[in-house]
Amino acid sequence: MILAIETSCDETCAAVVEGSQIRSSIVASQAALHVRYGGVVPEIASRRHLELVGPAVRDALHGAGATFRDLRAVAVTAGPGLIGALLVGVSAAKAYAYAAGLPLIPVDHLHGHVASLYLQPLDLQPPFVCLLASGGHTMLLDVRERAGYTVLGTTLDDAAGEAFDKGARLLGLGYPGGREIDRLAAEGDPTAYDFPVARVPGLDFSFSGLKTALLYKVRELSADELAARRADLAASYQRAIVRALVERLAAAGGDRIAVVGGVAANSELRAALPEAALAPLALCTDNAAMIASAGRYIRPVPYPDYLSLDARATA
Ligand code: KG4
Ligand code: ZN
């Protein structure tokens, strides 16, 4: 069994995974703490991680019916993410590894998202082309082996999840915005507005123009009009993001495709890709089970080498 800790953003997560089986997965969301600011406040996130990481690990072990003796390693997200938030997880993981006499496995958060596909019930085998769409990243990946991937395309500006979050903010919806737009879009007409998505060369993405287009539309409307058209705006905006993602996936070719990351929870995107391997809903947004899953394919770092291991903010 591997114990994993994930604290890259605003969710304090711990999980125990045995092979491809999730024994327990604890996700303590801080969303309620950040909602009044309309986004994650890094310093607040770090402090909250500090309070929650111990209980999360304890709950994960308890939920798995495991003790430290049952573990072969401690895995932890080393980056990318908010540096102060990552540091809490990395420091905690070092302490647990040292106390339990276990090696440490540093995991790349993006590799973790891909590895959400390697857990039951999917247990997906490469090769496949993977769309990773989260709040921080939007990438097309060529996955040939479970230990890694090569990047085919990435966003030139905003990530798809960021586009959802910023769009939700413009529409006066809550944070995090993706789920709110998803929900509201179901009541709206996706053809009401024509939001174009920039076409950039190759397999890259661009979403900043779309956000600006929504801003201009919102500015044209009075408060009453906005209230009346909010669902149509959400539906049309979501349609544009989904279309851009699906088009790029098609352009990448590949016989088998997969979708991971928070945006993979989007109902319209899931419906648009009936053939794709889709990460289960609970594993789309951040969690530690996916970090443990990736950890299975990374060489553990023994004591005392892992003491010098650092968190890193960027990919
Ligand atoms: O993977 P994730 O939990 O964290 C990062 O690594 O960034 O992704 C969070 C992102 C947020 O931008 C959130 O708005 C988006 O995923 N998201 C969604 C949905 N659920 C979460 N976007 C669209 N539709 C959803 N149902
Ligand atoms: Zn993530």
Side-chain angles (χ1 to χ4, degrees):
M1 290 187 226
I2 295 177
L3 166 73
I5 298 172
E6 145 69 46
T7 62
S8 67
C9 192
D10 66 338
E11 259 122 15
T12 316
C13 316
V16 174
V17 165
E18 181 174 24
S20 60
Q21 206 76 46
I22 303 174
R23 296 286 299 253
S24 65
S25 180
I26 306 294
V27 178
S29 175
Q30 306 181 4
L33 207 59
H34 301 279
V35 69
R36 80 174 91 158
Y37 307 105
V40 179
V41 183
E43 183 60 24
I44 293 176
S46 310
R47 287 164 191 258
R48 192 66 180 140
H49 282 309
L50 203 52
E51 293 167 351
L52 293 177
V53 70
V57 166
R58 204 164 53 227
D59 284 1
L61 286 170
H62 185 257
T67 68
F68 282 105
R69 282 179 213 282
D70 300 313
L71 305 176
R72 75 166 173 89
V74 179
V76 64
T77 305
L82 302 171
I83 193 67
L86 287 162
L87 276 170
V88 175
V90 169
S91 305
K94 284 180 184 176
Y96 284 120
Y98 178 69
L102 295 166
L104 191 74
I105 309 178
V107 176
D108 175 89
H109 182 79
L110 308 181
H111 186 201
H113 273 299
V114 178
S116 65
L117 300 164
Y118 306 150
L119 293 162
Q120 298 291 341
L122 283 178
D123 202 4
L124 193 70
Q125 285 295 341
F128 54 87
V129 169
C130 186
L131 168 68
L132 189 171
S134 70
H137 298 86
T138 302
M139 291 178 166
L140 272 175
L141 309 171
D142 182 18
V143 184
R144 301 279 174 96
E145 44 156 11
R146 284 186 163 183
Y149 53 78
T150 50
V151 178
L152 301 171
T154 186
T155 181
L156 303 176
D157 37 62
D158 291 349
E162 202 175 353
F164 270 108
D165 294 336
K166 288 178 176 172
R169 209 159 161 174
L170 289 172
L171 292 173
L173 303 172
Y175 162 86
R179 218 176 34 206
E180 296 295 317
I181 289 192
D182 196 348
R183 202 177 42 74
L184 188 61
E187 300 162 19
D189 174 6
T191 63
Y193 295 92
D194 186 26
F195 288 119
V197 176
R199 283 174 179 274
V200 290
L203 291 173
D204 289 334
F205 301 85
S206 169
F207 291 104
S208 66
L210 175 64
K211 178 189 61 193
T212 311
L214 178 64
L215 172 67
Y216 288 148
K217 274 280 172 280
V218 168
R219 273 198 195 149
E220 280 172 16
L221 302 174
S222 70
D224 285 351
E225 285 169 332
L226 178 60
R229 304 305 304 273
R230 192 172 278 140
D232 289 343
L233 284 163
S236 305
Y237 187 74
Q238 173 173 283
R239 168 79 33 111
I241 297 175
V242 168
R243 196 174 276 165
L245 296 174
V246 172
E247 273 174 12
R248 272 295 182 262
L249 256 175
D255 302 335
R256 303 162 72 221
I257 55 171
V259 188
V260 301
V263 178
N266 185 263
S267 54
E268 184 171 348
L269 181 62
R270 295 178 87 85
L273 297 166
E275 314 273 88
L278 304 167
L281 280 184
L283 298 177
C284 288
T285 43
D286 288 346
N287 63 89
M290 69 184 195
I291 301 303
S293 179
R296 292 175 65 205
Y297 305 98
I298 298 166
R299 190 191 300 275
V301 182
Y303 175 83
D305 301 2
Y306 63 70
L307 293 178
S308 59
L309 209 130
D310 229 339
R312 55 188 166 74
T314 53

